[in-house]
Amino acid sequence: MIRLHLAPLLLGAVLLAASGAPSEAQQPAPGIRAPVADTGIFSPLDLPAGNEFRTASGLPGPRYWQQRADYTIRATLDTAAKRITGSERIRYTNNSPDTLRFVWMQLDQNLFRPGSTGSLLFPPDTRFSARNFPGGFDLTRVAQVSRGTIKAARRGAARPADSAGAELSTRVDGTMMYMALAAPLPPKGVTTFAIDYAFNVPEHGADRMGRDGSLYEIAQWYPRMAVYDDVHGWNTLPYLGQGEFYLEYGDFDYWVTLPAGYIMAGTGTLQNAAQVLTPAERRRLTLAAGSDTTLHIVTEDEIRSGAARPTRSGTQTWHFHAGSVRDVAWAASPEYLWDASGWDGIVTQAYYRPSARATWFEAARMTRFSIREYSTRWFHYPYPQMTSVEGPVTGMEYPMLAMDEAGDTREELYSVATHEIGHMWYPMVVGSDERRYAWMDEGFNTFINTFSEEDYFQRNDAERRRAETARVLELDQGATPQPIMTAANRYLNNDNLGSLAYIKPSIVLLALRNQVLGPTPFDAAFREYTRRWAFKHPQPADFFNTIENVSGENLAWFWRSWFYTTDALDQAVTNVVQRADSDGGTVARITLSNNGAAVMPVDLQLTLADSSTELVKLPVEIWFEGDTYLATVETPKPIVAARVNADGRMPDVAPANDEWHAPVVAGPTPAPPAR
């Protein structure tokens, strides 16, 4: 047992002098010290003040609002021309306090138009490249029509009668389109837009959609409303390939006409199973919904014989409905095998080609496990189904639909599958702005994946995380350092994308959970953040304020160090001086130093002369006084070694100075042996 004597601490942060000399009127009286600005690592973080829309506690305010966009879409895939033709009706509700005279829409397929900005940024052989494809939206109609249009479409009309609609004046700027409204849209006003369009399906859709032979994975396949919010107004950052999406929530009904031999998976719930599935498939699917083991809905024998499809010629139209989602996507292939099971009323599914069977036979089970894992630990999955589809896309997520490649091993497949499924929580339920803050999407998701992967394989990934930490810290101190808060389109290279969007946020959140707050307070705060901002649009300050208010800790120093800078953490044990006390124990004065600009609490492990170890935990406030701290401890035995960050979980850039060892005392020189 040890006793720790804490050195007296200052009551506030170290105060750094403000730059610039004060004016004559501001000069203090003789003998009185001039005040200095609080600009140190512990000073308050300059976050937006709370208001009626977003409170200082991290809650949505009493007058929080967001827009709503409901879609009805009809599209046809021409597999010979590799082209989609579509018609959409968007019912747009203005919940803002502002009168809108124009709106912005996202035309994401324009990334693939020759000469697009994205095609100039990413070389043809890179992941997010447009690859000089002759793509882009061809718009044949953009109109503002009556409110009854959507209802008519949902009744099944091939094309609603909307001749009274006004053609709109538009301006296309890359992947964004400005639309001047026919009449101003007041607060609480509702209008409907009608857009007819077509586009060529790219083979490599910046690794977010595409095709492989007869298989199609289709996303960003309809013009989408841009977000209008209380922070930025219209969010018009372009789609360049790397940054992902920021979208409004609403209900979707969509119909897709495909060759009759195709099997389709999509966001939402299939509405016309009797027309597109066989009686046997419908029975199996009903059984699978209540089964905790995987059932085969479509088998390879049925694909080969043709028994998998109700009809073998012509076309079939698939109808899906999805409620409270921000997007819809789908995949289709004439080769798809289909497995399914269920958990807590949720159907969990996998679609894959026979060529992927070696790994994908387990995919439905992986999907089910991930849904249960994230629901149990963080927030219950709110949708009726979750589907994983195999295809050329390396890994990409859409509501209720995850696109994953085949994978070489089950470990590789699960890593990708559980990552994409984790995105159902961030950003599909918690609808963050991925263009500006990719870490609120990829980083949160990588963090929750940590537990999912360890739980599925019943393994400890601590060594893997230490290796990831070392790599991230190397990048932070390398030639192109950027902070986590860097916008997705501004990453200087792929290494920074992987670090800043994915790995570093996960590493520092794990450190916040395990080393600063503790698992119980952190988990409660993270769950509360998810609950508060489900189906809403949070900003970074909403996350920071929620974690602080629920945990009860002021974490300005943490957010500043790890999210706004690339400051290094370098804790060290500088010296240990010991003496025997009157009770036969040892009193040690241990000098600790913080050699970097970042700060963290200290986990100090002491190894005693009898080989026992003791852990001394020191709060981050020990650095209030400066970069050196003297800890006095009483131990029953002399200390032979003292080490900070013994478990390697702190993001420390220089582990070589983490440990102190007592000098080895040489004994008397033995006498030479007698001759």
Side-chain angles (χ1 to χ4, degrees), residues 22-190:
S23 67
E24 183 175 347
Q26 296 171 320
Q27 293 288 347
I32 298 178
R33 295 172 58 192
V36 292
D38 184 0
T39 58
I41 190 68
F42 290 100
S43 62
L45 196 61
D46 186 20
L47 295 177
N51 56 42
E52 59 189 346
F53 307 124
R54 298 168 189 270
T55 70
S57 70
L59 278 163
R63 296 189 62 194
Y64 173 83
W65 57 268
Q66 67 189 48
Q67 309 292 66
R68 181 181 178 93
D70 300 299
Y71 294 79
T72 299
I73 310 169
R74 289 182 173 275
T76 298
L77 171 64
D78 182 338
T79 55
K82 301 178 178 58
R83 185 171 174 85
I84 286 178
T85 302
S87 178
E88 69 175 339
R89 303 297 180 266
I90 308 169
R91 185 177 189 270
Y92 186 71
T93 304
N94 179 19
N95 291 318
S96 81
D98 308 321
T99 295
L100 303 180
R101 289 173 169 77
F102 60 88
V103 299
W104 281 91
M105 297 202 70
Q106 302 184 60
L107 304 181
D108 307 284
Q109 286 297 321
N110 284 3
L111 172 67
F112 308 108
R113 196 180 296 284
S116 71
T117 303
S119 70
L120 300 176
L121 289 177
F122 298 102
D125 59 344
T126 56
R127 179 182 180 188
F128 302 116
S129 163
R131 301 202 176 182
N132 297 317
F133 180 76
F137 278 121
D138 296 324
L139 304 178
T140 56
R141 184 174 188 236
V142 179
Q144 190 173 357
V145 300
S146 66
R147 290 184 60 174
T149 302
I150 283 245
K151 294 179 181 178
R154 285 180 179 160
R155 286 195 297 268
R159 174 169 174 168
D162 49 32
S163 58
E167 295 289 330
L168 296 183
S169 174
T170 65
R171 183 181 73 247
V172 175
D173 182 6
T175 58
M176 302 300 301
M177 180 171 68
Y178 171 98
M179 296 163 47
L181 298 183
L185 185 63
K188 304 304 179 185
V190 179

Side-chain angles (χ1 to χ4, degrees), residues 158-440:
R159 174 169 174 168
D162 49 32
S163 58
E167 295 289 330
L168 296 183
S169 174
T170 65
R171 183 181 73 247
V172 175
D173 182 6
T175 58
M176 302 300 301
M177 180 171 68
Y178 171 98
M179 296 163 47
L181 298 183
L185 185 63
K188 304 304 179 185
V190 179
T191 192
T192 299
F193 302 111
I195 301 177
D196 296 341
Y197 64 93
F199 66 94
N200 297 327
V201 179
E203 180 178 7
H204 176 86
D207 203 26
R208 304 198 188 282
M209 59 165 296
R211 52 186 167 81
D212 181 21
S214 60
L215 184 150
Y216 287 79
E217 291 180 315
I218 302 299
Q220 296 90 60
W221 58 288
Y222 55 96
R224 307 187 289 187
M225 296 300 304
V227 172
Y228 185 74
D229 64 26
D230 61 291
V231 180
H232 299 287
W234 286 107
N235 286 261
T236 57
L237 293 180
Y239 176 42
L240 302 179
Q242 185 163 269
E244 293 183 25
F245 310 106
Y246 186 31
L247 299 162
E248 301 287 14
Y249 287 93
D251 294 344
F252 287 72
D253 271 280
Y254 64 103
W255 290 258
V256 178
T257 300
L258 300 167
Y262 272 70
I263 294 173
M264 177 177 165
T267 297
T269 304
L270 182 63
Q271 300 297 293
N272 62 336
Q275 286 73 50
V276 297
L277 301 182
T278 68
E281 290 163 355
R282 298 199 300 274
R283 287 194 300 270
R284 295 168 189 166
L285 194 57
T286 299
L287 291 173
S291 173
D292 58 3
T293 60
T294 300
L295 302 181
H296 302 302
I297 311 303
V298 174
T299 69
E300 187 170 0
D301 287 343
E302 290 169 333
I303 292 290
R304 289 175 176 171
S305 69
R309 308 307 308 121
T311 181
R312 304 184 191 184
S313 61
T315 62
Q316 282 192 316
T317 298
W318 299 66
H319 174 202
F320 286 82
H321 172 79
S324 299
V325 294
R326 42 181 258 164
D327 197 7
V328 292
W330 52 274
S333 169
E335 298 182 78
Y336 265 156
L337 309 181
W338 180 2
D339 295 342
S341 62
W343 179 79
D344 200 25
I346 301 160
V347 179
T348 54
Q349 308 177 105
Y351 294 71
Y352 56 97
R353 292 169 292 184
S355 58
R357 185 199 305 277
T359 49
W360 273 74
F361 77 92
E362 196 177 351
R365 178 175 179 266
M366 292 175 173
T367 303
R368 181 181 187 275
F369 185 93
S370 297
I371 290 294
R372 184 182 67 185
E373 159 73 23
Y374 300 132
S375 291
T376 303
R377 192 182 288 271
W378 305 116
F379 183 85
H380 195 278
Y381 186 71
Y383 298 122
Q385 64 94 359
M386 178 64 219
T387 298
S388 297
V389 295
E390 178 264 331
V393 175
T394 302
M396 186 61 199
E397 75 284 354
Y398 300 97
M400 298 181 241
L401 189 80
M403 299 177 179
D404 310 316
E405 63 182 351
D408 294 327
T409 66
R410 62 192 294 262
E411 289 79 11
E412 183 179 287
L413 176 59
Y414 187 76
S415 178
V416 175
T418 200
H419 178 82
E420 305 310 333
I421 293 169
H423 278 305
M424 299 306 112
W425 282 258
Y426 316 98
M428 297 307 159
V429 169
V430 181
S432 54
D433 179 353
E434 301 172 71
R435 286 272 208 281
R436 289 184 174 86
Y437 310 111
W439 60 271
M440 297 181 75

